[in-house]
Amino acid sequence: MTASRTTVVRGLATAVGIVSLVSVTGLATAAPGDPGKPRFTAGSEGVGDNYFPYSGNGGYDVSHYDLAIDYTPPAPSPAPLEGQLSGVATIDLTATADLDRFNLDLRGMTVSAMTVNGKRATGITPPAPGAEVDGAAYWQVQDDAERRWELTVQPRPKLKKGQSVRLVVTYGGTTTRPTDIEQAPYGWYTTRDGAIVVSEPDGSMTWYPVSDHPRDKATYSFRITVPEGKVAVANGLPDGPPVTANGRTTWSWDAVDEQASYLTTASVGDFEVLPVTYSASGVPIHDFVDRKISASRRATTNASLALQPRMIDFFESRFGPYPFSAFGSSVDNDSVGYALETQTRPVYSGSASQGTVAHELAHQWLGNAVSPKDWKHIWLNEGWATYATWLWNEENGIRTAQAAFDSWYAPARTPEYWALPIGDPGPMGLFATQVYDRGAGTLHALRLTVGDEAFFEGVQTWVQRYADSTATTADFQAVYEEVSGQDLDAFFQEWLATPAKPSLP
């Protein structure tokens, strides 16, 4: 995500946690001490991320989501700015524990039918805590105050560890303009001509049932049906040409690379489909630009998107081979106030500038291929994407990385600025400017500390080792200690955790 989100809606913040971890509730089904039968439990209500305790879920691992979505945008003004979405989500998962029940995240949508391995489950009113429920069933909890939006599934027979499950969920509802923990727009953000779909950190639950945390990456396929004339843009590559029947068009996409849920998109609008271009290494680039963008913004956007092939070539020389099957963009005339690095197809609000395109492209390696194990490690996403833009500007004679570092480091700043520990900024500090700029500054200081050879060897090792997975700041430090042969404890403590201006290397 670009720092423009910070300037629009993100203020300085203190590192304050919200609530404690959610505990795992056990539901015993065998007599105590009976080793002959498994002990079935409820999957935990979250993965254990302190910032978002109900995000993601325990007890299973999703391998694939197939999303069939039918969407009708709002009627022309003055009709309410509300769309209508109906969907069928086919979810392939594997139990990682013996499960009596498990949860998915789903916010603002209502489930109307469900099957588990082909067997119908019954929708019921949420039972009292600890209550026994007969048969295969599902229920929903929608608690805005606790940010707890859950779809609980009780399969029958119960699931054994290692068992593969196909869950088919039919659902739907009215789309509006949901907001995240900081009241910034995200998720399925309804526009008059369609929708901007940008879901960091936990907004994918606003448009499909999901284990909504980066720890549970999966592959995706999309079939998005919209009124004829509208274009639906998702991740990956087109799975055949769009098909029109009875005044509606279905756009199909196949995202074969594992991705975190917050990186999924299904944006809908009046897009022009631009010709496919390619990087020197053969990465196909699919771009979609809103036909209503003004002439000046279109000129800026066209110039920036034209640089994408060369940007990929440059970042491959620094970070290693491009990690996914495709790249590209959707550029919407409407705006949520920021851009987002949705995997293989970043979403841009209003227009796409050169710096923003470089930022979102760099995220494909740093944030998308390697994602944060917990949200407190977000500086590894935003610091790297910001620093990558410094590197791109240096490559193109705009400004050196050292000059960018000096420009950030030199000015006098308030104690409050330096007080935010970017290595653990708190849920209200995820998108603070310090996470971006001090994050980039930390990386440049690291480069000065270990030298260019170790610095660029380190980032390539980082991407290779943790691609298609998640990692932590401690993992990152370990990689750089390995490639440099240095003890970096003091460095990372000062630059990421000390609430004061760090000293120069």
Side-chain angles (χ1 to χ4, degrees), residues 62-152:
V62 178
S63 58
H64 185 74
Y65 294 89
D66 179 89
L67 303 178
I69 293 170
D70 191 289
Y71 179 63
T72 299
S77 182
L81 195 56
E82 298 176 343
Q84 296 298 318
L85 184 151
S86 61
V88 177
T90 302
I91 305 170
D92 294 319
L93 59 88
T94 300
T96 58
D98 295 325
L99 292 176
D100 175 88
R101 61 184 63 166
F102 60 92
N103 302 303
L104 291 159
D105 304 307
L106 186 63
R107 174 182 175 184
M109 296 278 113
T110 300
V111 174
S112 58
M114 180 187 299
T115 62
V116 184
N117 285 339
K119 297 183 178 180
R120 179 179 175 272
T122 302
I124 65 172
T125 300
E132 293 294 329
V133 177
D134 293 331
Y138 65 88
W139 58 91
Q140 290 184 254
V141 172
Q142 300 287 290
D143 190 330
D144 292 350
E146 288 195 16
R147 297 188 61 80
R148 181 183 176 213
W149 301 289
E150 293 183 338
L151 167 64
T152 299

Side-chain angles (χ1 to χ4, degrees), residues 12-13 413-420 434:
L12 301 184
R413 300 184 188 274
T414 64
E416 289 75 18
Y417 179 89
W418 298 111
L420 182 71
Q434 298 97 312

Side-chain angles (χ1 to χ4, degrees), residues 34-347:
D34 182 356
K37 296 181 180 180
R39 179 181 175 89
F40 291 90
T41 64
S44 61
E45 294 179 290
V47 299
D49 191 322
N50 280 337
Y51 288 10
F52 301 97
Y54 292 109
S55 290
N57 297 277
Y60 64 88
D61 175 67
V62 178
S63 58
H64 185 74
Y65 294 89
D66 179 89
L67 303 178
I69 293 170
D70 191 289
Y71 179 63
T72 299
S77 182
L81 195 56
E82 298 176 343
Q84 296 298 318
L85 184 151
S86 61
V88 177
T90 302
I91 305 170
D92 294 319
L93 59 88
T94 300
T96 58
D98 295 325
L99 292 176
D100 175 88
R101 61 184 63 166
F102 60 92
N103 302 303
L104 291 159
D105 304 307
L106 186 63
R107 174 182 175 184
M109 296 278 113
T110 300
V111 174
S112 58
M114 180 187 299
T115 62
V116 184
N117 285 339
K119 297 183 178 180
R120 179 179 175 272
T122 302
I124 65 172
T125 300
E132 293 294 329
V133 177
D134 293 331
Y138 65 88
W139 58 91
Q140 290 184 254
V141 172
Q142 300 287 290
D143 190 330
D144 292 350
E146 288 195 16
R147 297 188 61 80
R148 181 183 176 213
W149 301 289
E150 293 183 338
L151 167 64
T152 299
V153 182
Q154 177 174 283
R156 289 295 182 268
K158 300 173 185 180
L159 303 180
K160 293 183 179 181
K161 181 178 179 179
Q163 183 177 348
S164 296
V165 179
R166 172 159 289 182
L167 185 70
V168 180
V169 184
T170 303
Y171 66 99
T174 298
T175 69
T176 55
R177 292 187 164 186
T179 56
D180 68 6
I181 194 170
E182 294 186 66
Q183 303 306 306
Y186 83 151
W188 189 283
Y189 182 82
T190 306
T191 61
R192 189 62 67 180
D193 69 335
I196 301 174
V197 183
V198 285
S199 296
E200 190 177 25
D202 61 349
S204 287
M205 70 174 89
T206 65
W207 57 286
Y208 65 97
V210 56
S211 181
D212 209 356
H213 193 276
R215 291 193 206 176
D216 196 355
K217 292 188 175 185
T219 58
Y220 285 79
S221 52
F222 306 84
R223 285 163 291 143
I224 310 162
T225 301
V226 292
E228 184 175 0
K230 300 293 180 183
V231 176
V233 183
N235 311 90
L237 288 164
D239 187 15
V243 176
T244 300
N246 301 318
R248 298 184 71 79
T249 301
T250 299
W251 298 78
S252 298
W253 294 88
D254 192 16
V256 298
D257 305 299
E258 288 202 348
Q259 62 187 39
S261 55
Y262 79 93
L263 298 171
T264 55
T265 189
S267 293
V268 176
D270 297 325
F271 296 114
E272 177 184 351
V273 183
L274 303 188
V276 179
T277 57
Y278 296 86
S279 70
S281 58
V283 177
I285 303 169
H286 295 257
D287 293 318
F288 301 82
V289 179
D290 197 315
R291 297 179 184 277
K292 301 183 299 299
I293 287 180
S294 68
S296 60
R297 287 184 171 184
R298 183 60 188 256
T300 297
T301 295
N302 287 350
S304 302
L305 298 184
L307 294 170
Q308 291 176 126
R310 190 158 65 85
M311 285 182 179
I312 292 175
D313 299 338
F314 173 68
F315 287 138
E316 285 186 322
S317 74
R318 296 299 187 268
F319 308 144
Y322 182 75
F324 304 129
S325 62
F327 189 60
S329 65
S330 65
V331 186
D332 204 303
N333 186 53
D334 291 294
S335 178
V336 292
Y338 57 89
L340 185 67
E341 62 272 16
T342 45
Q343 191 159 303
T344 70
R345 195 123 311 110
V347 174

